[in-house]
Amino acid sequence: MACFLVPTAEAAVVTAIRKAKEHKVPSSAGEVKASENVVSIEGESPVVRKLHWLTNMLWGGSALLAFEHIWHGEVAPWFPFLTAMNDPADAAEMFHEMSTVGVTMAVLITVVWGCMVAVTNMIEKRSEAQEESSAET
Amino acid sequence: MTLLITVFAAIIATIVWYKSCPKDEMKVGTLCWLYWGASVMWLVDALFEYAELKEEYFMPALEDMINDAFLGLAVVALGLIIWLVILMIRDPQGKIKAVLKRKTA
């Protein structure tokens, strides 16, 4: 009904945090390298650097899910935009769906992102260790 | 059906992205995030629906399946349109800039 609004809200919050973190980095922090999906700044935590992945997944998924809701006639281009809001019983069902399905969606996306960050950190550390050991020999 | 189509689109986009790694001049990575994000969200939707319908979930009516397949294809098309717009705006290879410069010169 409107489950996509929960990941959308999370996307907005994470984007705001990411933007704030990007602006906070002082000019002396080091060289800034902007590549495809990652803005890497020396001295910056890898988790903050990889927040782009989370926002991309949240915004992308929410956009496509919003389209699905339009397809099913659950979102309308006129106020109050959500057709379920016209009837109190439908509205209650919608809020229940948001608190169950919507929250699970947001949590699962965040868990998937967390796993990706953990795995990529491990790969990065392993390759660094390999480079160090090859430099020593 | 929508979930399946989106997952397949995500897998294909990821393979294409991996082949163009690490340069990714066509910004296929954006497409991967779009489709994987939607796939994870639809997976949750499917799990909740399965919990409600049990084995009936795997026996949808033909009409529903066709509608879901059309929706899946429409979602893939929308994802591609979003990716194209981002590609045109960011113009990573500077091709659009070059075309515009040639026109104004």
Side-chain angles (χ1 to χ4, degrees):
Chain A
M1 282 187 156
C3 49
F4 72 98
L5 289 179
V6 181
T8 308
E10 188 192 344
V13 171
V14 176
T15 305
I17 292 170
R18 202 196 69 213
K19 294 268 180 203
K21 293 266 182 191
E22 279 174 8
H23 284 292
K24 259 188 189 174
V25 177
S27 56
S28 59
E31 195 186 344
V32 180
K33 296 169 190 169
S35 70
E36 180 237 342
N37 282 322
V38 182
V39 176
S40 77
I41 298 161
E42 272 177 38
E44 191 185 40
S45 124
V47 178
V48 172
R49 186 157 43 93
K50 286 161 187 167
L51 273 177
H52 266 280
W53 302 352
L54 180 60
T55 52
N56 284 348
M57 261 203 291
L58 285 167
W59 281 122
S62 302
L64 296 185
L65 242 75
F67 176 73
E68 187 228 319
H69 285 74
I70 295 168
W71 181 282
H72 287 137
E74 291 164 352
V75 175
W78 51 82
F79 190 80
F81 306 110
L82 301 165
T83 47
M85 290 299 280
N86 293 324
D87 182 47
D90 285 348
E93 200 187 324
M94 183 191 78
F95 287 124
H96 178 257
E97 200 189 277
M98 281 170 74
S99 61
T100 52
V101 183
V103 170
T104 313
M105 280 174 180
V107 169
L108 189 63
I109 290 265
T110 313
V111 168
V112 167
W113 170 76
C115 292
M116 281 168 58
V117 169
V119 170
T120 49
N121 283 352
M122 232 167 58
I123 293 168
E124 280 169 2
K125 274 181 190 167
R126 196 182 294 170
S127 65
E128 271 173 29
Q130 273 177 350
E131 275 172 24
E132 276 173 24
S133 65
S134 63
E136 280 172 13
T137 54
Chain B
M1 203 66 171
T2 314
L3 170 65
L4 260 179
I5 291 172
T6 318
V7 167
F8 277 118
I11 291 168
I12 292 166
T14 309
I15 292 168
V16 174
W17 168 79
Y18 187 78
K19 279 188 100 177
S20 62
C21 244
K23 273 189 168 179
D24 192 20
E25 286 176 334
M26 292 296 284
K27 299 265 174 207
V28 185
T30 313
L31 205 53
C32 295
W33 296 124
L34 265 169
Y35 289 147
W36 280 121
S39 298
V40 171
M41 289 183 193
W42 267 311
L43 174 70
V44 173
D45 215 23
L47 290 175
F48 272 88
E49 218 174 308
Y50 175 73
E52 200 182 305
L53 301 172
K54 303 288 176 202
E55 57 269 21
E56 255 181 66
Y57 175 78
F58 297 106
M59 292 174 278
L62 183 67
E63 202 178 310
D64 292 342
M65 246 172 74
I66 292 170
N67 185 39
D68 274 358
F70 271 123
L71 173 61
L73 292 174
V75 161
V76 172
L78 179 68
L80 287 169
I81 290 168
I82 294 172
W83 166 69
L84 263 179
V85 170
I86 292 171
L87 186 70
M88 294 295 140
I89 292 171
R90 292 204 180 155
D91 190 20
Q93 294 179 354
K95 287 182 178 176
I96 292 175
K97 262 186 205 167
V99 169
L100 291 173
K101 267 186 188 173
R102 204 187 308 155
K103 274 187 182 172
T104 50

